Amino acid sequence: MKNFILSCLSMVFFTAFASAQFTMTDGNFTTCSGSFTDSGGLTGNYTSGEDSVITFCSPFATDDMQISFNSFDLATGGLLFVYDGDSTAAPLLGVFIQQNTPGVLISSAANTSSCLTFRFRSPGSNVGPGWEATIVCIDNCQTIITSVEADPAPDADGVIRICQGETVNFTGTSNFSIDPAGATFNYLLADGTTVAGTTASETYASPGIYRVDYIAMDPTGCRDRSIGEASDILIQVSTTPDFTGTFAADTSICFGETTEITGMVETTEFFEEVAPPITGQTFLPDGDGTSYQTCIDVSGFPAGATFQNSSDLVSFFINMEHSFLGDLLMVLTAPDGTEVEITPGNFAGGGTFLGIPIDDTTSGPGTGFVYNFTEAASATQTLEDASVGVATIPAGDYLTVDPFSNFIGTTLNGLWCLNITDTLPIDDGYIFEWGINFNPAIIPTAGGYEPDEVTEAWAANSDITATNGNVITVAPTTAGQNCYDFDFTDSFGCTYTETVCIDVASEVTITVPDNIIVCQPSGAATVDLTERNDDILNGLDSNAYTITFYNNQVDADAATNAIATPTAYDVTANETVFVRVEERASGCFNTVELDIEYSTSQFNTVANLEACFDPVNIDGIEIFDLTSQDAGILGTQSSTEYTVAYFLSQSDADSNANPIMNADAFESIGETIFVRVSNIQDPSCFAVGSFDTVINDLPSIGTAPDVTECDESPIDGATSFDFTVNDAAVLNGQSAAAFTISYHTNQADADTGSSAISATSTVSGGTLYARIVDNATGCFNTSTFNFIVETCEVEVPEGFSPNGDMINDTFSIPGIDQFANFELKVFNRLGSVVYETKASNYVEFAGIPNSGLNSGDGLLPTGTYFYVIKFNDPDTADIASWVYINY
């Protein structure tokens, strides 16, 4: 679609009533210009024996018709009658003879037709030069000028160019030279409807040239004078381009194939026909008096143009068949309802066929003949006349019952309809086409146009793998119908799309089969290639597909040199064959490789699986994970190529029957397990071996004695201890080399052998767990003993010797660090404090004073000193005593 800027349209597309030369002949003409002469024209004489009537009218009812005679010369006997109106029934203005010129003739005020009528009679002899006159219309109205703005607006040449289905909006303005009061405004739209007001809109569905007139009229009947000059609006609607030549090289392909699609487009010309023929089949059912009508919308003549002379209609034709001409009343009707009868209906001798009908009321159409109705010399009789004595009326030229002159005065534009009434029962028929041929002399120059090309290209699509100009290569990725759009945009801004679709057959979905295994190390063998057919088809219906085998991919793709006997194919070494699976209905195929492999299965010996007796659940049954042996049994064989299965007997392993289902949690009382190693792709190729499940007894464990140990600072009920002192009791006479002993603070750690207590571990008082492990079987047992941590008595020595010999160098008080708040003070014999310390910064007294006058002066003299220990503990009595220092 395009948007146009509002613009005033003021252009002349065609002259509705061009200046013309009119000669004296029967006819009625609406015109405001031209010359009027006798039948001899400007240079010749009129003929003898003439008697004809001609009328000239203005298209505007408010005008006066004026005809000015510039020359006039009639021979004796010639008479020119002039009437003040539109016929010879109007008042006679005068009769003019010889050189008695009419001068200037003007229709009178009483003449409301705006017409002048002339009758000329010439005698049987005596011809003369005749006359020459000028025709004009006298405008008696105020000047009214109209203009119209349109959206979309016209192009620079004044033409509005739009796409099919687009709507044009109109806004009209008017300028009155005197007074606009009481004026009316109307649009005469292209579809023939009239819309009142200054605005209107119209939608144009089909290509064509459309004209819209805006009419302003004052209360006296005066209007703008655009009629006969130009339409206010001219619209051209884009034509559908011709995509002939846009096609796919293949309309059906197999999945995975490619094809080329060519895009080709040409613009199409629109040429305005005045009376386009009606094509298409119209059924004329057996009649009951009902009329069937088909109409041609005649357009392109100047607005208001009328049928002037019988020669204006050259002919009209009907391509039809009917089994009983006498049934038919056929009439051609003009836009104003005027009729010309073609056949009268229900006439004698009417049993004649039109065309070659199928003479019943149930079958389809027969063969139509073209009947052309004309008043030319080639037509000598009516259809009724021609029906006498013949079975079928031949195609050709025929007269109508009524003359074409019946149409004189009717408007040319509008619906010209063919009405057919079947008046009698039994017979039916068909119309295939009919059309009207007007005299080319009265048809205005037809309008035509052809949009220019702007762009043409294939729409983007992921299936397009290559583009060469307008030729694309497509590789559809899905089965079914795949469509591709070729887009064309013309100079009207309209885009058209031609869609090309390709049917893609469903993919032949096959699978890679397991190898055919030759279960021997080497040597000649014969295999059946077809044993993998079901695997390859993977559920496809075998009746719908053909499977063949080949020695190479090229042959498989071309379906040549197939293996002759696939059920007995000889091999001597590893080999690959190529399998072609073809769908019978579509011919589409897919290929897959089938490997033939020499291979044997091997059982690798593994150690027995051992477990320890469960002292809690003493049913003699233990759980074994047999699958833990898989890797050892397979050795270098891949688990993707071989399976391991476990059985309770040799025969089951050999026949692959009754495998142990819960091999990863097998309940055993201690037995032999038989193992089958099978090739996954050929389970018949296997090896068998065995191992045992063994349940070992738990080692014996002795009961260790309880252990008591003094608490150490901080006094928290925990201390370190080397529990290996209990090893002998735990061994209970067994060899230390055969067992491993450890100690733990809880049963869980003892069961798992984790977090063993070392000699430096700080251990809280309570139950401890001894663990003994049989180094040969890995089985273990546990027992318990108590570890008692107690607060011990403080023992104060009576002396020490700080002489640096590393023996008894300090006043060490074992057990004092059990008390968190103790205080120690040492006095000399004079009662002075020479040393003091407490729990928070405890330093053992080494004979060097840290208090008093001699603080830090060196070792105190040999002698007796006194001390006081305050425990600051309600349950412990303070100590006051003496200590002797000696060197």
Side-chain angles (χ1 to χ4, degrees):
M1 303 292 286
K2 342 184 252 191
N3 293 320
F4 294 92
I5 300 173
L6 289 175
S7 173
C8 177
L9 178 64
S10 58
M11 56 85 65
V12 176
F13 177 70
F14 73 101
T15 302
F17 298 94
S19 178
Q21 179 179 338
F22 301 92
T23 58
M24 188 67 212
T25 185
D26 289 333
N28 295 275
F29 299 95
T30 301
T31 183
C32 278
S33 63
S35 64
F36 170 39
T37 69
D38 61 274
S39 62
L42 294 174
T43 58
N45 295 331
Y46 56 81
T47 61
S48 61
E50 291 185 22
D51 188 356
S52 56
V53 176
I54 190 169
T55 301
F56 298 102
C57 300
S58 170
F60 304 101
T62 55
D63 282 1
D64 292 333
M65 174 56 66
Q66 174 180 296
I67 299 182
S68 302
F69 283 80
N70 303 312
S71 64
F72 191 82
D73 186 2
L74 301 183
T76 301
L79 300 171
L80 179 64
F81 301 84
V82 182
Y83 300 90
D84 189 19
D86 58 2
S87 71
T88 56
L92 182 65
L93 288 178
V95 180
F96 302 92
I97 61 174
Q98 296 180 352
Q99 287 79 39
N100 182 21
T101 178
V104 177
L105 299 173
I106 301 174
S107 59
S108 68
N111 180 356
T112 59
S113 67
S114 298
C115 301
L116 289 176
T117 299
F118 298 85
R119 179 181 182 184
F120 176 66
R121 295 173 61 186
S122 62
S125 60
N126 294 337
V127 297
W131 67 88
E132 186 273 324
T134 302
I135 304 168
V136 295
C137 297
I138 299 175
D139 183 7
N140 296 311
C141 294
Q142 66 172 317
T143 301
I144 304 173
I145 300 174
T146 61
S147 63
V148 180
E149 291 183 342
D151 180 21
D155 292 334
D157 60 0
V159 179
I160 296 175
R161 293 176 174 86
I162 60 173
C163 302
Q164 297 174 34
E166 195 168 352
T167 299
V168 181
N169 301 300
F170 309 107
T171 301
T173 58
S174 303
N175 183 24
F176 294 78
S177 64
I178 299 175
D179 187 3
T184 59
F185 306 94
N186 291 281
Y187 284 92
L188 180 59
L189 300 181
D191 63 3
T193 61
T194 299
V195 176
T198 59
T199 60
S201 64
E202 189 172 19
T203 300
Y204 304 90
S206 304
I209 298 173
Y210 299 91
R211 300 173 180 86
V212 176
D213 285 317
Y214 178 60
I215 303 168
M217 182 177 295
D218 68 15
T220 67
C222 294
R223 57 154 290 176
D224 64 280
R225 299 180 70 85
S226 62
I227 186 169
E229 297 173 3
S231 298
D232 292 313
I233 298 292
L234 180 66
I235 299 164
Q236 294 179 0
V237 180
S238 172
T239 57
T240 303
D242 182 6
F243 284 96
T244 300
T246 298
F247 69 98
D250 303 287
T251 57
S252 298
I253 61 174
C254 297
F255 188 88
E257 291 183 341
T258 63
T259 190
E260 289 186 345
I261 308 178
T262 300
M264 185 174 294
V265 62
E266 293 183 354
T267 57
T268 56
E269 181 183 9
F270 176 83
F271 188 80
E272 188 174 39
E273 293 185 86
V274 170
I278 293 293
T279 59
Q281 185 172 289
T282 300
F283 179 46
L284 302 174
D286 183 42
D288 56 3
T290 302
S291 293
Y292 300 92
Q293 185 181 75
T294 174
C295 298
I296 293 174
D297 188 3
V298 175
S299 62
F301 286 106
T306 59
F307 199 100
Q308 304 286 332
N309 195 291
S310 59
S311 63
D312 288 351
L313 178 60
V314 174
S315 66
F316 65 94
F317 70 92
I318 309 173
N319 184 344
M320 67 178 297
E321 59 92 345
H322 201 279
S323 57
F324 198 175
L325 171 64
D327 287 9
L328 302 181
L329 170 62
M330 297 195 293
V331 175
L332 178 63
T333 304
D336 66 354
T338 302
E339 296 181 346
V340 165
E341 188 177 278
I342 305 168
T343 59
N346 194 12
F347 58 87
T352 309
F353 289 166
L354 293 170
I356 304 175
I358 298 176
D359 192 17
D360 59 51
T361 58
T362 59
S363 300
T367 302
F369 284 0
V370 175
Y371 299 99
N372 189 55
F373 301 95
T374 178
E375 292 183 343
S378 58
T380 59
Q381 56 184 344
T382 65
L383 289 179
E384 182 179 6
D385 297 334
S387 67
V388 178
V390 298
T392 298
I393 297 178
D397 293 344
Y398 294 91
L399 294 170
T400 55
V401 175
D402 295 326
F404 288 176
S405 60
N406 281 13
F407 291 136
I408 292 176
T410 186
T411 56
L412 290 168
N413 289 330
L415 294 177
W416 290 74
C417 298
L418 181 64
N419 296 278
I420 300 179
T421 303
D422 192 330
T423 61
L424 295 175
I426 299 177
D427 302 287
D428 64 11
Y430 289 84
I431 293 177
F432 302 102
E433 183 180 20
W434 79 283
I436 301 173
N437 297 309
F438 289 101
N439 190 335
I442 70 168
I443 298 176
T445 302
Y449 63 91
E450 183 173 352
D452 294 327
E453 175 184 329
V454 177
T455 60
E456 58 181 83
W458 287 98
N461 191 299
S462 59
D463 289 350
I464 298 175
T465 59
T467 301
N468 182 12
N470 281 355
V471 179
I472 58 172
T473 301
V474 295
T477 56
T478 57
Q481 190 177 72
N482 289 258
C483 297
Y484 307 89
D485 293 335
F486 186 56
D487 296 329
F488 169 80
T489 301
D490 64 20
S491 58
F492 284 31
C494 308
T495 297
Y496 298 87
T497 298
E498 179 77 357
T499 300
V500 178
C501 295
I502 300 170
D503 292 324
V504 181
S506 297
E507 183 180 7
V508 180
T509 53
I510 57 178
T511 59
V512 178
D514 290 341
N515 297 346
I516 292 178
I517 302 301
V518 179
C519 196
Q520 61 190 51
S522 62
T526 300
V527 297
D528 180 2
L529 301 178
T530 65
E531 70 183 38
R532 292 290 187 263
N533 283 6
D534 288 344
D535 294 342
I536 294 169
L537 288 174
N538 191 32
L540 296 177
D541 183 1
S542 60
N543 294 317
Y545 295 85
T546 299
I547 301 178
T548 46
F549 301 85
Y550 303 85
N551 291 114
N552 57 70
Q553 185 68 58
V554 173
D555 284 346
D557 290 338
T560 57
N561 304 316
I563 293 173
T565 55
T567 56
Y569 184 65
D570 295 329
V571 293
T572 57
N574 290 348
E575 186 176 337
T576 297
V577 296
F578 299 82
V579 188
R580 176 188 175 106
V581 180
E582 181 175 324
E583 187 179 27
R584 294 189 177 101
S586 66
C588 296
F589 70 94
N590 202 349
T591 62
V592 69
E593 295 181 2
L594 171 60
D595 291 330
I596 302 168
E597 178 185 1
Y598 279 73
S599 176
T600 58
S601 299
Q602 180 179 348
F603 172 82
N604 292 291
T605 301
V606 292
N608 294 335
L609 285 180
E610 298 186 22
C612 299
F613 180 79
D614 185 353
V616 177
N617 189 6
I618 56 174
D619 56 3
I621 298 174
E622 299 300 332
I623 304 299
F624 290 86
D625 180 4
L626 305 182
T627 63
S628 64
Q629 299 279 65
D630 285 1
I633 291 170
L634 288 174
T636 59
Q637 299 168 118
S638 172
S639 60
T640 62
E641 298 178 7
Y642 296 87
T643 60
V644 179
Y646 299 89
F647 304 84
L648 292 175
S649 69
Q650 180 73 50
S651 60
D652 282 349
D654 290 339
S655 61
N656 200 23
N658 307 312
I660 295 173
M661 302 305 296
N662 57 335
D664 59 341
F666 175 63
E667 296 181 352
S668 174
I669 58 175
E671 58 252 290
T672 298
I673 302 300
F674 298 89
V675 185
R676 177 189 176 107
V677 179
S678 302
N679 190 297
I680 292 176
Q681 299 185 80
D682 185 359
S684 65
C685 186
F686 68 96
V688 173
S690 67
F691 62 87
D692 292 334
T693 57
V694 178
I695 301 175
N696 294 310
D697 290 333
L698 301 183
S700 173
I701 187 170
T703 302
D706 294 340
V707 175
T708 300
E709 180 69 10
C710 290
D711 201 353
E712 295 180 354
S713 179
I715 305 301
D716 55 4
T719 188
S720 59
F721 188 79
D722 185 1
F723 293 100
T724 59
V725 296
N726 281 346
D727 284 1
V730 172
L731 285 169
N732 195 24
Q734 300 174 101
S735 170
F739 298 91
T740 299
I741 299 172
S742 59
Y743 298 92
H744 306 268
T745 59
N746 56 71
Q747 185 67 59
D749 287 348
D751 289 341
T752 60
S754 59
S755 303
I757 300 171
S758 69
T760 59
S761 300
T762 299
V763 183
S764 299
T767 300
L768 295 186
Y769 299 82
R771 170 187 171 98
I772 186 170
V773 179
D774 187 328
N775 295 335
T777 66
C779 296
F780 71 92
N781 208 343
T782 63
S783 63
T784 62
F785 62 92
N786 294 319
F787 179 46
I788 303 166
V789 180
E790 61 183 10
T791 303
C792 298
E793 181 180 357
V794 177
E795 297 179 1
V796 183
E798 293 182 344
F800 66 97
S801 56
N803 54 10
D805 62 359
M806 305 301 291
I807 299 173
N808 201 24
D809 280 341
T810 63
F811 184 37
S812 177
I813 309 173
I816 194 170
D817 54 1
Q818 299 174 86
F819 300 95
N821 297 311
F822 76 87
E823 296 178 19
L824 170 64
K825 290 185 179 181
V826 180
F827 305 86
N828 59 21
R829 287 180 297 174
L830 299 177
S832 298
V833 177
V834 295
Y835 189 83
E836 58 184 337
T837 187
K838 52 186 178 182
S840 60
N841 59 353
Y842 179 55
V843 177
E844 291 184 351
F845 179 38
I848 299 174
N850 67 0
S851 182
L853 296 175
N854 297 321
S855 175
D857 285 347
L859 292 173
L860 293 170
T862 300
T864 299
Y865 293 84
F866 302 91
Y867 63 87
V868 175
I869 300 175
K870 291 185 178 182
F871 294 102
N872 295 315
D873 185 283
D875 297 325
T876 306
D878 295 339
I879 300 175
S881 186
W882 58 269
V883 61
Y884 185 76
I885 299 176
N886 189 20
Y887 300 99

